[in-house]
C-alpha cells in the first residue's frame, strides 16, 4: 500500500445515504487529495499541489462534462457501458479518456473536453488479454444494475461538486465505484458500493 493510499484511508469518512432507483448505492465521501491524484512517490508537495491546481483549472474551463463524455463513448457501440473515465488536461488538448465494455472487449476512447469529438479513433482489447482480477471486475460490472454514470450522479450530489474521474476498485472482496469530485477548491473521493457487487 502506498503512503498516499494510507493517508487517504486515514481521513475522516462520512457515510451518506444515496437513493437511486430501487436499490441504493451507498456513498462514503473522503476529503483530501484522492489516491488517484497522488504519485507513488511522495515527491515535492508544492509541485504536486500546483499540478493538481492546473488540472482542476483546465477541467473547469471544459465545455463537456464527464457524463457527456461517457455518453459519447457509449454511443459508439450500442449497449456499451463505461468501466473507467478520467480527465486529462496535462497535454496540449484537454481530453477525457473513457474505457467502455462491449462484446467481450474493452474499447478505449479519447474525447475532446472542449468539443466532444473523438480524438484519434478508438482501440479495442479483448477481455481474454486482461488479468484474472480485471476480468472478474468487469464480469461483476456487467452483472449489477447500476452503472458508472449512476455512480457519477450520486457522487456529485453527495460531494456537492463535479466529477473529474471514476472507475472500479475492489477492496476486501467488494467491488465499488470510486469517483473523484471537485467540490469548491477541494478534491473528494466518493466510494459507492452497488448492491450485489460482493465477491463470491
Amino acid at each position: 500500500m502506498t503512503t498516499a493510499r494510507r493517508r487517504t484511508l486515514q481521513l475522516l469518512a462520512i457515510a451518506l445515504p444515496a437513493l437511486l432507483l430501487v436499490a441504493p448505492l451507498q456513498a462514503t465521501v473522503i476529503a483530501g487529495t484522492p489516491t488517484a491524484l497522488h504519485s507513488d512517490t511522495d515527491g515535492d508537495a508544492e509541485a504536486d499541489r500546483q499540478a493538481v491546481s492546473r488540472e482542476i483549472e483546465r477541467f473547469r474551463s471544459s465545455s463537456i462534462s464527464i457524463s457527456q463524455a461517457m455518453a459519447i463513448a457509449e454511443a459508439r457501440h450500442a449497449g456499451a457501458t463505461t468501466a473507467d473515465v478520467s480527465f486529462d488536461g496535462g497535454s496540449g488538448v484537454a481530453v477525457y479518456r473513457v474505457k467502455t465494455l462491449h462484446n467481450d472487449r474493452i474499447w478505449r476512447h479519447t474525447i475532446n473536453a472542449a468539443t466532444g469529438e473523438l480524438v484519434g479513433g478508438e482501440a479495442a482489447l479483448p477481455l481474454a488479454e486482461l488479468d484474472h482480477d480485471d476480468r472478474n471486475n468487469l464480469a461483476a460490472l456487467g452483472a449489477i444494475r447500476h452503472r458508472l454514470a449512476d455512480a457519477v450522479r450520486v457522487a456529485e450530489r453527495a460531494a456537492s461538486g463535479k466529477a473529474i474521474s471514476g472507475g472500479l476498485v475492489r477492496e476486501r472482496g467488494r467491488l465499488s465505484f470510486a469517483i473523484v469530485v471537485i467540490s469548491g477548491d477541494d478534491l473528494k473521493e466518493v466510494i459507492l458500493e452497488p448492491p450485489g457487487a460482493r465477491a463470491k
Side-chain angles (χ1 to χ4, degrees):
M1 181 180 294
T2 65
T3 302
R5 184 68 180 152
R6 281 193 296 275
R7 280 193 303 241
T8 300
L9 292 175
Q10 293 169 351
L11 295 173
L12 175 65
I14 303 168
L16 299 171
L19 298 176
L20 180 68
L21 301 170
V22 177
L25 290 164
Q26 295 299 316
T28 302
V29 180
I30 303 170
T33 304
T35 304
L37 296 179
H38 285 290
S39 62
D40 284 338
T41 61
D42 289 330
D44 180 11
E46 179 60 22
D48 290 346
R49 187 189 64 71
Q50 289 177 1
V52 169
S53 293
R54 282 191 302 274
E55 189 84 355
I56 290 172
E57 191 57 40
R58 293 211 61 198
F59 173 76
R60 285 187 173 143
S61 66
S62 298
S63 303
I64 303 297
S65 71
I66 202 167
S67 296
Q68 291 170 313
M70 288 188 294
I72 291 166
E74 289 175 357
R76 303 284 301 167
H77 304 279
T81 186
T82 301
D84 186 80
V85 61
S86 61
F87 177 81
D88 180 358
S91 58
V93 176
V95 296
Y96 288 99
R97 302 204 184 276
V98 186
K99 294 179 186 172
T100 59
L101 176 63
H102 184 258
N103 285 347
D104 294 327
R105 292 185 180 280
I106 288 291
W107 294 86
R108 295 179 182 166
H109 312 275
T110 302
I111 309 294
N112 184 307
T115 65
E117 295 174 349
L118 188 67
V119 177
E122 56 189 4
L125 178 68
L127 290 181
E129 293 184 19
L130 300 176
D131 69 29
H132 177 72
D133 290 339
D134 287 340
R135 283 195 310 271
N136 284 345
N137 289 349
L138 292 170
L141 176 64
I144 58 177
R145 177 180 178 138
H146 297 288
R147 299 290 177 242
L148 186 57
D150 301 325
V152 164
R153 282 191 297 275
V154 171
E156 288 178 336
R157 281 196 311 260
S160 301
K162 296 300 246 173
I164 191 169
S165 69
L168 294 169
V169 295
R170 186 179 294 272
E171 290 184 8
R172 292 173 290 213
R174 293 181 178 183
L175 184 68
S176 300
F177 294 113
I179 313 297
V180 177
V181 177
I182 298 173
S183 178
D185 291 330
D186 298 324
L187 292 173
K188 297 179 180 177
E189 185 173 42
V190 182
I191 306 296
L192 301 113
E193 182 182 343
R198 288 181 187 253
K200 304 291 185 227

